Amino acid sequence: MKFAHATTASAVALIAGAMLALPAVAQEAPQESSATSLDDVIVTAQRREQSLQEVPIAITAFNAETLERTAATGISDIAAKAPGVTLTQFNIGEPQLYIRGVGTSSDSAASDPSIGFSIDEVSIGRSGASALSFLDIERVEVLRGPQGTLYGRNASGGALNIYTRKPVFEDSGSLTARIGSFDEYGLEGVVNRALGDDSAIRFAARYTTNDGYAESLPSGEGLEGGTSWGARLSYLKDIGDWSVLVSGDYSEDDMDGHARIPVTAFGTAPAFVTLINSLRTGMDRRQSFSSPDNYQERTNYGLTGRVEHSGQAFDFVSLTSYRDNDYSWRDNLGGLPFPGFPLSVDNRASEAATQFSQEFRLVSKPDSPINWVAGAYFFQEDIDRSERFIVNTALPIAPPSFGGDTTFLQDATNRSYALFGQANIPFADIWELTLGARWTWDEREIHQVAIDNEGGANPPAGIPLGPGGSPYNVSGSESFNEPTWKIALAVEPVDNVRFYASYDRGYKAGSFPSTAQSGAQALLPLDSELLDNYEIGVKSTLMGRWRLNAAAFKLDYTDLQVYELLGLALVTSNAQAEVEGFEIETALALTNNLTIGGSYTSLDAKFTSDAVSGALVLPYNGNTLPRSPDSQYTLYVDSEWDVAGGVLAARADYQWTDDFYFDPSNNPEVLSPAHELVSAFVSWESPSGLKVSVYGKNLTDTEYQTHIIKNVGVGFSVFGAPRSFGLALTQSF
């Protein structure tokens, strides 16, 4: 099942047609007299509270109720439900989020993600430092397209913002216990207490464990499971015109490692196809020869202070945060026995990262004729990263001497400074002009070391350092700075039908590569990415019950930072690219009890140049950008009824993702086939606050890949979880 690709021209025609048709529909529609309606969605994408329908940005928002009814426990559960978003994960510390074909797979300590990720408006520098993000959530906002004005340095492709629940001036709480497939057990609790009339405290904690959905052979030990726990404590104090919110969190993850599964393609050498098939005879997609000693561990904690002052002319916000994130992992990248298969790669890594950030903002009063925000931002992170490769080789892949034991060390400091401002200027009753600008300065300092752990006893140095490279110990630094901006014009010719056109500039600072093969390469930074986004869109709410939002866009990429694994060597380069497409989101309240909705995304994401890495020319021109399916769509049905003296809620979700490539080579072994995912949720809640919930994920038991590493024409893959079910009991008080 696959939709035909639609060109940007047709998308623009679609939006333009909507611009002509929707006002007429709105004018002819009778005024809604019944209670049937969609709830208004409030977001803070522009650093102030606004209706989702008023913001000239393509946004998808998930509230706490939607997160519960989709059984979402992490960003992977909601990524595919937002238009134009894909999420893959190399390991616990390196989730790879892509929006509209924009993202990164770099693991370098001296690089930034392309998609901004924040928790309670605190930018998270390392993408893996998000362990507690889905504990006691208020809402999640996914912003598509560059967010270079208010979000800055690492939001060239978009932003994913998570907002946790704050303390409130009442006594309340809840306790949830759950069991599920693969011997899953979990417990989660929330307690909120008012401490007088002007202060409150909130504590949330959770624990979960499961045996994993994959198996290591021949030991029979579980993989893709593990145990995690964590807690968050928040304190709120109001002092006249001042408000102080302090929160701290801590979490630990002790997870089993990946089960790598080799997948052959039509380009795989027939001898390897025969060998792999014989080695895996009788095994299913979630059984692997990956070692039972594989693991993924993470410790994460942080402290955030938010101070707000309500002044007569404007409001003031100070946001201060410190975070510490340590993680380590071990992975057998082939998932096959050696020497039965003539290559084995034991990959081990650890990373310790700390970050400090400070942001000051001035914000106009809600009733100001012009809404504006201005501020200054500082960010620093210090990262100590180590990655080791223990490689065994045999012919016909490589002579045994090409194996070895090598370690790469990175000690990096990244700093970012910024000044920014944005204003929304209404005029002529129905028009609004948005102007924003930001100037960002980035500094990087790096110390890189490559070690042959065999001390040169068995030359050449083991791959991926050798045979073309040699050990090194080098230090360097570089600075980057760029202006970014936003210009948007919106018009609302009739109530609840708003059209907008925007031009946004995004920027991501240059970066130093990891696992370089020479000292010269280790100190050669990639150029900064620049991204221009042109977009037209419509946001409409018709008859109070039908929400229809659509956007058509074109992205021009200059110096896209590209990463490709060639053999076991990571090749880094810059290339040019273009992305064209459109997105549609809709929701319709059929009755007071029943809502249907969905979304559709069409992408045409292509490289428009080859890439050059040293003396190597990478033939990317015309290739599809990684993680960029031609089409994605979602459908859902959500209902709520009064049943047996309580409230019965039910939801079903369907997701379709077209095939896409995992790296820029577009080799057949890195093609992830199109797939569907179906989930369902049912709950009943009594007046006393007791809720019973049953949910299922991947109900069609689809086999789909969440990550692929290519080598010798084979895609060494990690597969997502099979069909699973869960039962939860919640008591609110």
Side-chain angles (χ1 to χ4, degrees):
M1 184 177 186
K2 180 176 179 179
F3 283 124
H5 172 70
T7 65
T8 299
S10 63
V12 171
L14 175 69
I15 304 299
M19 290 181 175
L20 296 174
L22 281 175
V25 172
Q27 290 169 348
E28 293 170 5
Q31 294 295 315
E32 182 64 29
S33 58
S34 71
T36 302
S37 64
L38 291 170
D39 293 334
D40 194 18
V41 180
I42 302 300
V43 298
T44 54
Q46 297 190 131
R47 304 307 196 199
R48 57 190 175 89
E49 289 191 353
Q50 293 175 280
S51 168
L52 173 73
Q53 299 301 91
E54 295 177 356
V55 183
I57 302 172
I59 307 175
T60 300
F62 302 89
N63 60 20
E65 181 181 89
T66 301
L67 295 173
E68 179 192 13
R69 294 183 185 181
T70 55
T73 57
I75 58 176
S76 60
D77 291 314
I78 61 101
K81 294 179 174 61
V85 179
T86 61
L87 176 71
T88 59
Q89 184 159 308
F90 180 55
N91 58 66
I92 195 172
E94 298 170 22
Q96 298 164 353
L97 185 65
Y98 283 68
I99 297 179
R100 292 179 174 175
V102 179
T104 183
S105 58
S106 172
D107 60 10
S108 172
S111 67
D112 297 328
S114 297
I115 306 301
F117 184 86
S118 72
I119 302 176
D120 294 329
E121 299 186 356
V122 173
S123 177
I124 306 299
R126 303 302 285 174
S127 55
S130 57
L132 266 180
S133 57
F134 270 63
L135 173 64
D136 198 24
I137 294 294
E138 180 178 290
R139 70 183 184 283
V140 178
E141 299 176 8
V142 181
L143 285 60
R144 301 185 294 280
Q147 307 299 320
T149 301
L150 299 178
Y151 294 84
R153 55 185 282 274
N154 59 348
S156 59
L160 191 151
N161 303 326
I162 294 176
Y163 300 89
T164 64
R165 294 186 184 273
K166 308 300 182 291
V168 293
F169 301 114
E170 64 178 34
D171 293 342
S172 62
S174 65
L175 182 65
T176 299
R178 70 180 73 244
I179 60 173
S181 300
F182 321 117
D183 289 328
E184 178 188 11
Y185 300 94
L187 192 65
E188 182 173 324
V190 179
V191 177
N192 190 100
R193 287 293 181 266
L195 306 177
D197 296 331
D198 58 2
S199 60
I201 193 168
R202 189 177 186 92
F203 177 74
R206 78 174 180 200
Y207 170 88
T208 182
T209 185
N210 71 83
D211 289 345
Y213 61 83
E215 181 183 12
S216 172
L217 295 181
S219 71
E221 296 292 326
L223 295 172
E224 306 293 349
T227 298
S228 63
W229 70 273
R232 180 185 295 115
L233 178 66
S234 302
Y235 174 75
L236 175 64
K237 176 73 172 180
D238 286 345
I239 312 170
D241 294 332
W242 292 85
S243 175
V244 179
L245 175 64
V246 179
S247 63
D249 62 78
Y250 181 90
S251 66
E252 289 187 7
D253 300 271
D254 185 4
M255 312 302 291
D256 305 325
H258 279 322
R260 289 278 171 188
I261 312 294
V263 178
T264 59
F266 67 81
T268 309
F272 285 156
V273 174
T274 301
L275 178 58
I276 290 171
N277 288 343
S278 65
L279 290 171
R280 289 188 52 82
T281 299
M283 298 171 64
D284 66 31
R285 282 297 198 198
R286 296 179 179 90
Q287 291 178 311
S288 172
F289 288 107
S290 289
S291 171
D293 296 328
N294 282 3
Y295 67 89
Q296 299 182 49
E297 297 177 349
R298 174 172 55 184
T299 301
N300 191 1
Y301 63 87
L303 185 67
T304 300
R306 184 185 182 98
V307 179
E308 299 185 59
H309 174 64
S310 179
Q312 292 186 350
F314 54 82
D315 296 335
F316 167 78
V317 178
S318 170
L319 192 60
T320 308
S321 179
Y322 172 84
R323 298 209 62 83
D324 185 291
N325 179 56
D326 294 349
Y327 75 87
S328 61
W329 50 267
R330 178 180 178 181
D331 194 359
N332 302 113
L333 300 186
L336 287 169
F338 182 86
F341 189 78
L343 173 68
S344 72
V345 182
D346 187 353
N347 187 200
R348 310 177 189 188
S350 63
E351 181 176 292
T354 62
Q355 71 167 66
F356 172 81
S357 63
Q358 175 64 60
E359 183 169 342
F360 296 110
R361 292 201 299 264
L362 303 178
V363 185
S364 63
K365 304 297 290 185
D367 57 354
S368 298
I370 296 177
N371 289 303
W372 55 267
V373 58
Y377 177 76
F378 171 74
F379 174 92
Q380 176 171 316
E381 63 180 354
D382 296 284
I383 303 165
D384 187 1
R385 179 180 174 84
S386 171
E387 187 163 11
R388 182 181 180 185
F389 296 86
I390 303 173
V391 181
N392 292 297
T393 58
L395 295 173
I397 286 181
S401 62
F402 277 34
D405 185 345
T406 58
T407 297
F408 297 87
L409 306 176
Q410 288 188 305
D411 184 3
T413 297
N414 304 313
R415 299 184 187 90
S416 185
Y417 313 82
L419 297 173
F420 61 90
Q422 182 168 301
N424 301 91
I425 308 167
F427 64 96
D429 294 331
I430 62 173
W431 294 86
E432 182 180 77
L433 177 65
T434 299
L435 298 174
R438 186 184 189 104
W439 198 290
T440 305
W441 296 263
D442 287 294
E443 300 173 351
R444 300 201 190 281
E445 300 173 4
I446 186 74
H447 178 205
Q448 302 225 56
V449 181
I451 303 170
D452 179 0
N453 294 320
E454 297 178 329
N458 299 298
I463 53 177
L465 180 59
S470 59
Y472 53 82
N473 187 333
V474 296
S475 297
S477 62
E478 191 61 79
S479 61
F480 312 88
N481 67 89
E482 285 289 339
T484 53
W485 55 80
K486 179 181 185 63
I487 304 171
L489 183 64
V491 60
E492 190 168 338
V494 296
D495 289 345
N496 301 317
V497 179
R498 175 175 288 229
F499 306 99
Y500 69 90
S502 63
Y503 166 43
D504 303 86
R505 163 63 65 91
Y507 151 75
K508 187 176 83 167
S511 64
F512 288 95
S514 62
T515 61
Q517 291 188 288
S518 69
Q521 182 188 9
L523 295 184
L524 184 63
L526 295 178
D527 293 335
S528 298
E529 293 181 355
L530 295 177
L531 174 60
D532 290 311
N533 181 64
Y534 308 90
E535 184 169 327
I536 62 171
V538 57
K539 294 192 170 185
S540 63
T541 305
L542 307 178
M543 300 174 288
R545 65 168 66 184
W546 179 26
R547 182 181 299 127
L548 176 63
N549 297 342
F553 53 87
K554 179 178 180 180
L555 288 71
D556 284 332
Y557 235 126
T558 302
D559 292 325
L560 172 67
Q561 296 172 12
V562 188
Y563 306 87
E564 182 185 350
L565 195 65
L566 291 178
L568 289 178
L570 181 65
V571 178
T572 59
S573 58
N574 290 104
Q576 316 308 311
E578 288 185 357
V579 181
E580 300 178 349
F582 68 89
E583 303 156 344
I584 299 172
E585 288 187 276
T586 188
L588 174 63
L590 294 175
T591 68
N592 294 336
N593 309 100
L594 183 64
T595 300
I596 61 173
S599 65
Y600 175 74
T601 304
S602 174
L603 277 182
D604 182 14
K606 302 290 186 183
F607 286 100
T608 57
S609 76
D610 291 334
V612 177
S613 179
L616 185 65
V617 177
L618 303 167
Y620 292 159
N621 193 9
N623 282 8
T624 300
L625 294 182
R627 278 77 158 185
S628 303
D630 285 350
S631 62
Q632 294 172 280
Y633 68 89
T634 66
L635 300 169
Y636 72 85
V637 179
D638 192 288
S639 62
E640 188 174 294
W641 309 83
D642 293 331
V643 174
V647 177
L648 178 71
R651 181 180 173 110
D653 285 85
Y654 179 91
Q655 302 166 218
W656 170 266
T657 302
D658 217 339
D659 50 23
F660 62 88
Y661 295 99
F662 268 83
D663 77 26
S665 70
N666 286 192
N667 285 4
E669 66 268 25
V670 294
L671 180 66
S672 175
H675 64 272
E676 65 180 7
L677 291 175
V678 179
S679 62
F681 172 93
V682 179
S683 70
W684 181 82
E685 184 173 9
S686 72
S688 65
L690 177 64
K691 180 186 292 187
V692 181
S693 305
V694 180
Y695 53 89
K697 296 183 179 181
N698 192 9
L699 294 178
T700 55
D701 205 20
T702 298
E703 293 184 351
Y704 66 100
Q705 291 143 297
T706 61
H707 196 266
I708 301 175
I709 297 174
K710 75 173 190 294
N711 204 347
V712 296
V714 181
F716 297 96
S717 305
V718 176
F719 281 80
R723 181 189 295 117
S724 63
F725 299 95
L727 169 67
L729 297 177
T730 301
Q731 177 65 63
S732 299
F733 51 87

